[in-house]
């Protein structure tokens, strides 16, 4: 499996990730994402990661900011 296909397969396995594809017309790599918070609840066995990601849709100047939380 190529790196691009593996990247897409990972996003496709995440619930509601198709919304990111609709916005960006591709699945974001998150290479420039800013980590806003990481929370680990050991007692309840919970984990959350929140990142802010901004990227261009078509051309410079039309950037979209997206906050993504993975639970």
């Amino acid at each position: 499996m190529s790196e691009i296909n593996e990247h897409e397969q990972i996003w496709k396995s995440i619930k509601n990730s198709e919304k990111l594809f609709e916005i960006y017309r591709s699945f974001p790599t998150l290479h420039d994402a800013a980590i806003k918070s990481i929370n680990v609840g050991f007692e309840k066995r919970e984990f959350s990661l929140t990142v802010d990601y901004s990227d261009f849709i078509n051309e410079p100047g039309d950037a979209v900011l997206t906050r993504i939380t993975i639970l």
Side-chain angles (χ1 to χ4, degrees), residues 7-68:
H7 173 77
E8 289 180 9
Q9 289 302 320
I10 290 169
W11 274 112
K12 288 179 181 180
S13 69
I14 298 173
K15 183 179 179 180
N16 295 322
S17 66
E18 66 278 357
K19 293 176 183 177
L20 288 173
F21 192 85
E22 290 172 13
I23 293 169
Y24 292 105
R25 296 187 180 103
S26 65
F27 287 107
T29 62
L30 304 182
H31 63 280
D32 287 333
I35 297 173
K36 291 303 204 183
S37 67
I38 298 174
N39 298 301
V40 180
F42 291 106
E43 293 168 1
K44 295 183 179 181
R45 299 181 62 172
E46 296 176 336
F47 172 82
S48 70
L49 171 69
T50 300
V51 299
D52 283 345
Y53 178 73
S54 180
D55 205 346
F56 301 118
I57 295 176
N58 293 314
E59 299 175 13
D62 65 355
V64 173
L65 177 64
T66 306
R67 176 162 286 164
I68 302 166

